[in-house]
Amino acid sequence: MNQPSIHDMLASYDFKDLAVATVCSHSSLQLFHGAKHEGFRTIGIVVGEERKKVYNAFPRAKPDTFLTVDTYKEILDHTEELREQNAIVIPHGSFVEYLGADKFLTLDLPTFGNRNVLMWESDRMKEREWLEKAGLTMPAEIKDPRQIKKPVIVKYHGAKGGKGFFIAKTYEEFKRRIQKEKPYTIQEFVMGTRYYLHYFYSPIQKEGYQLSQGSLQLLSMDRRDETTIDEVQRLGSIAELEEIGIHPTFVVTGNIPIVMRESLLPKVFQMGESVIETSLNLFGGIIGSFCLETVVTEELEFKVFEISARIVAGTNPYINGSPYSEFIQPELSTGRRIAQEIKYAAAHNKLSEILS
Ligand code: AMP
């Protein structure tokens, strides 16, 4: 089945009575909270009845109504019901991952953002093509493991949350640890400090940092908390631990707020700008929130190791705004910014420019 046309999906919609829907997980509390702030009805899709209990614990963020399903795939059986409620879907990492990219692409519900981005984001080669075309520096890729001369990070394709990733300093170490049956990429391990930059691109509004079409905002940034790498030193040095067979892992467990030296901000905007301009040429453009995952080296250079093309969980510390969004508007979370974009588009008959 092909991706349904946005015009067909919106044909029956009452733009004055829209609802925002997402799966209860990841950043949904923030999304519901932001949507309520902007006057939308909210629908929470819960996978398993017991989840409701947790969401009911947060009266100011819980969705107005729940749609309960037993599995993610079952969401596909409820799209008509959701369309009858004028629901606009906001995707987040868990939604796309657990529903599956192929099913997400054919979901016949108006969805915030450009779904074409998935092809470019989920394939590591295409992602590199996009980011390098945009002039960003990515960590070097090592094609032949026998060429490992410096520390590398080995990433299994499609592994979410850094699961299974490992560091190797030599070819021997790589050979000992690699699971050959899974496709993988070997990247230079970049030494520096990590910053996960949260942007918002509006193709339809012009205030602020202007681009060839629309404008760009920097809403916040975070650093991920990853177990066990971020705390492993409490037990000993990584080298010591590896000798006794304990290897650090990169599983994301939380997010920490952070701000950056102000002198680096021009570069942050320049990177965001070129990623968007390149995406406009490649696939019609990224829309809304996206995140560049970076390491800043001691030369104060950014190396970008990944892009996430939707709201990231790293925005969750900022439901009341961040040290950056405060300079744009008080109490502006990414969730609220998304709701504002939908509201603006609905009022100006531009919904088809921000949904797919
Ligand atoms: P990813 O799935 O690509 O987001 O990577 C998971 C985690 O591994 C990141 O959050 C970083 O902590 C770490 N990481 C990824 N790529 C690199 C790299 N090239 N150099 C150093 N650390 C990295």
Side-chain angles (χ1 to χ4, degrees), residues 139 155 165 187-188 190 194 196 224 226 250 293 306:
K155 302 179 175 188
F165 289 13
Q187 254 181 24
E188 154 201 18
V190 183
R194 288 168 299 130
Y196 300 74
R224 286 186 192 159
E226 294 172 326
F250 293 85
E293 304 181 11
E306 195 149 327

Side-chain angles (χ1 to χ4, degrees), residues 166-346:
F166 66 92
I167 300 172
K169 291 174 281 312
T170 59
Y171 176 51
E172 281 62 41
E173 209 178 335
F174 168 86
K175 271 197 305 193
R176 267 202 309 278
R177 304 222 28 222
I178 190 70
Q179 294 174 269
K180 282 222 178 73
E181 64 286 358
K182 297 191 201 161
Y184 60 85
T185 306
I186 309 172
Q187 254 181 24
E188 154 201 18
F189 187 92
V190 183
M191 302 286 284
T193 42
R194 288 168 299 130
Y195 292 86
Y196 300 74
L197 312 170
H198 316 144
Y199 300 90
F200 190 93
Y201 169 55
S202 168
I204 54 174
Q205 297 198 59
K206 292 201 175 61
E207 291 88 59
Y209 189 97
Q210 294 190 14
L211 305 189
S212 66
Q213 284 175 41
S215 62
L216 173 67
Q217 292 172 324
L218 174 70
L219 292 184
S220 50
M221 48 186 86
D222 79 301
R223 175 169 303 166
R224 286 186 192 159
D225 216 3
E226 294 172 326
T227 189
T228 58
I229 183 89
D230 289 338
E231 297 266 6
V232 80
Q233 75 287 349
R234 299 179 79 186
L235 202 58
S237 74
I238 292 180
E240 272 172 337
L241 295 171
E242 291 204 314
E243 265 174 36
I244 54 167
I246 301 175
H247 303 286
T249 53
F250 293 85
V251 178
V252 182
T253 52
N255 304 85
I256 306 167
I258 202 163
V259 286
M260 178 179 273
R261 291 168 70 135
E262 198 163 313
S263 58
L264 293 173
L265 290 182
K267 180 68 186 164
V268 168
F269 275 93
Q270 191 205 333
M271 292 193 301
E273 175 169 6
S274 54
V275 162
I276 294 160
E277 298 291 357
T278 310
S279 74
L280 287 166
N281 291 329
L282 288 178
F283 54 86
I286 195 168
I287 296 169
S289 23
F290 67 100
C291 170
L292 291 180
E293 304 181 11
T294 74
V295 177
V296 181
T297 67
E298 60 187 324
E299 287 81 30
L300 298 179
E301 279 168 0
F302 284 85
K303 295 224 177 164
V304 180
F305 56 88
E306 195 149 327
I307 183 165
S308 292
R310 61 196 59 72
I311 186 169
V312 287
T315 59
N316 283 337
Y318 303 114
I319 47 127
N320 287 324
S322 82
Y324 298 102
S325 70
E326 175 66 18
F327 298 141
I328 301 171
Q329 190 192 317
E331 297 184 11
L332 183 65
S333 68
T334 292
R336 188 170 176 196
R337 181 66 190 84
I338 292 171
Q340 287 179 348
E341 189 76 352
I342 297 172
K343 196 163 145 179
Y344 178 92

Side-chain angles (χ1 to χ4, degrees), residues 141-161:
E141 200 180 321
I142 291 92
K143 299 258 193 257
D144 177 355
R146 281 166 299 198
Q147 298 306 319
I148 297 176
K149 307 273 190 262
K150 289 195 289 189
V152 296
I153 178 164
V154 182
K155 302 179 175 188
Y156 293 109
H157 292 189
K160 277 292 142 190

Side-chain angles (χ1 to χ4, degrees), residues 62-217:
K62 70 170 187 173
D64 298 325
T65 50
F66 286 104
L67 167 67
T68 310
V69 291
D70 289 327
T71 62
Y72 273 87
K73 301 220 164 32
E74 217 184 286
I75 298 171
L76 302 171
D77 303 332
H78 293 272
T79 55
E80 196 176 327
E81 187 182 327
L82 286 165
R83 277 199 308 274
E84 278 164 10
Q85 297 189 55
N86 302 315
I88 289 177
V89 164
I90 319 248
H92 53 59
S94 308
F95 195 159
V96 178
E97 172 65 13
Y98 297 124
L99 180 63
D102 51 338
K103 298 214 166 41
F104 173 73
L105 280 173
T106 59
L107 195 66
D108 54 348
L109 286 169
T111 301
F112 182 68
N114 180 355
R115 282 188 252 188
N116 287 333
V117 72
L118 258 184
M119 272 173 52
W120 288 84
E121 181 201 15
S122 56
D123 174 331
R124 285 207 187 262
M125 291 206 339
K126 283 188 100 74
E127 179 187 42
R128 184 171 279 271
E129 184 188 332
W130 172 15
L131 298 183
E132 290 188 341
K133 264 200 179 122
L136 271 49
T137 312
M138 293 193 72
E141 200 180 321
I142 291 92
K143 299 258 193 257
D144 177 355
R146 281 166 299 198
Q147 298 306 319
I148 297 176
K149 307 273 190 262
K150 289 195 289 189
V152 296
I153 178 164
V154 182
K155 302 179 175 188
Y156 293 109
H157 292 189
K160 277 292 142 190
K163 216 166 173 19
F165 289 13
F166 66 92
I167 300 172
K169 291 174 281 312
T170 59
Y171 176 51
E172 281 62 41
E173 209 178 335
F174 168 86
K175 271 197 305 193
R176 267 202 309 278
R177 304 222 28 222
I178 190 70
Q179 294 174 269
K180 282 222 178 73
E181 64 286 358
K182 297 191 201 161
Y184 60 85
T185 306
I186 309 172
Q187 254 181 24
E188 154 201 18
F189 187 92
V190 183
M191 302 286 284
T193 42
R194 288 168 299 130
Y195 292 86
Y196 300 74
L197 312 170
H198 316 144
Y199 300 90
F200 190 93
Y201 169 55
S202 168
I204 54 174
Q205 297 198 59
K206 292 201 175 61
E207 291 88 59
Y209 189 97
Q210 294 190 14
L211 305 189
S212 66
Q213 284 175 41
S215 62
L216 173 67
Q217 292 172 324

